[in-house]
Amino acid sequence: MYNIIGQALFISVLISFTLSGMALLVSRRSLTRSVFLAGFYADVLDFFYLPLRQIFLKFSDTRVLDKWMSSLKNRAHASAFAKTKKRVILAPHCMRSLDCPAHSTQTGIQCKLCGKCVFTQLKKDAEKYGYKVFIVTGSSFVKNILKMEAADGVLLIACDYEINKVMRALKGKKVITYGITMENDGCFGTKVDYQKVLGVFEDLKS
């Protein structure tokens, strides 16, 4: 009896290592090319995220894991996102000007279109493609925003960690997510490649 249990446990561990290893390989490849079964492997990485994060924390950099996972999910979600009708953009307040005159509410920073940072242009361009922009000071704002906005598509502009975190949090919530990674991390002075943003608007337009 114990022998059977031991064998079953060994097989389970072996399958887990094999699946997670394959998923990591596929996610790394997704940075540069389309991959097969992206959605399946994204689910595998979500399931094993916590132990994998500990491994990356010890031997590598957890940002690498989040980068691979967000890239893989973009590959998996792109087609479905292009079919969404009501979309919002969730962008971090760290991209705004240090002397931003806007104030904060329960749905984030209320941009005054002062022209001092990228958000003035982002809001104008986003409206052309059917997006409503929300400038958030943390991922905790996401829940409030989606309660007030019946969105079926959420475009995230953030660091890879925050993109993957929100994607995982919104999994199964009847919204499709897609992420655009910023050029640098930090609490202020962060930037995004705006041409990449415009490219995503065009590629994923309905």
Side-chain angles (χ1 to χ4, degrees):
M1 183 66 172
Y2 289 112
N3 187 43
I4 295 175
I5 294 174
Q7 289 179 352
L9 182 59
F10 174 77
I11 292 173
S12 297
V13 172
L14 183 61
I15 292 174
S16 297
F17 271 105
T18 302
L19 273 177
S20 57
M22 291 175 61
L24 285 173
L25 179 61
V26 170
S27 67
R28 185 169 182 262
R29 288 181 176 175
S30 74
L31 295 172
T32 57
R33 70 191 78 172
S34 297
V35 292
F36 186 58
L37 294 177
F40 169 75
Y41 287 116
D43 288 340
V44 170
L45 292 181
D46 276 339
F47 185 80
F48 291 109
Y49 179 70
L50 291 180
L52 285 173
R53 183 174 174 79
Q54 290 303 311
I55 293 173
F56 273 77
L57 185 63
K58 186 173 183 179
F59 296 104
S60 183
D61 187 338
T62 56
R63 290 176 295 183
V64 173
L65 176 61
D66 290 313
K67 184 180 183 67
W68 292 359
M69 289 181 67
S70 58
S71 173
L72 183 61
K73 291 173 185 178
N74 279 350
R75 297 286 186 183
H77 298 173
S79 179
F81 192 96
K83 298 175 184 177
T84 58
K85 301 300 180 182
K86 189 169 184 180
R87 304 172 174 180
V88 297
I89 293 176
L90 303 182
H93 76 106
C94 54
M95 292 200 307
R96 62 181 176 144
S97 169
L98 289 177
D99 58 347
C100 174
H103 62 278
S104 181
T105 70
Q106 63 178 341
T107 57
I109 305 297
Q110 299 303 302
C111 181
K112 293 188 175 182
L113 303 177
C114 68
K116 294 181 179 180
C117 70
V118 68
F119 283 113
T120 299
Q121 190 62 48
L122 176 62
K123 286 178 70 69
K124 292 179 180 178
D125 289 332
E127 288 178 1
K128 298 176 185 177
Y129 287 89
Y131 293 87
K132 187 172 182 179
V133 178
F134 291 90
I135 306 168
V136 297
T137 56
S139 54
S140 60
F141 279 83
V142 175
K143 187 178 295 185
N144 286 337
I145 291 170
L146 293 182
K147 281 182 179 179
M148 300 177 67
E149 295 289 328
D152 58 350
V154 177
L155 179 61
L156 306 163
I157 300 176
C159 63
D160 289 305
Y161 169 73
E162 289 292 341
I163 289 174
N164 192 31
K165 178 181 178 181
V166 176
M167 283 180 165
R168 291 175 66 237
L170 295 182
K171 186 177 180 180
K173 301 294 185 182
K174 297 182 179 180
V175 294
I176 308 299
T177 54
Y178 195 92
I180 301 175
T181 305
M182 297 187 302
E183 294 184 305
N184 59 308
D185 297 346
C187 298
F188 61 88
T190 55
K191 297 180 180 180
V192 67
D193 182 343
Y194 200 70
Q195 291 305 309
K196 183 187 293 186
V197 175
L198 294 177
V200 169
F201 283 170
E202 190 63 28
D203 290 343
L204 299 182
K205 64 183 180 181
S206 299

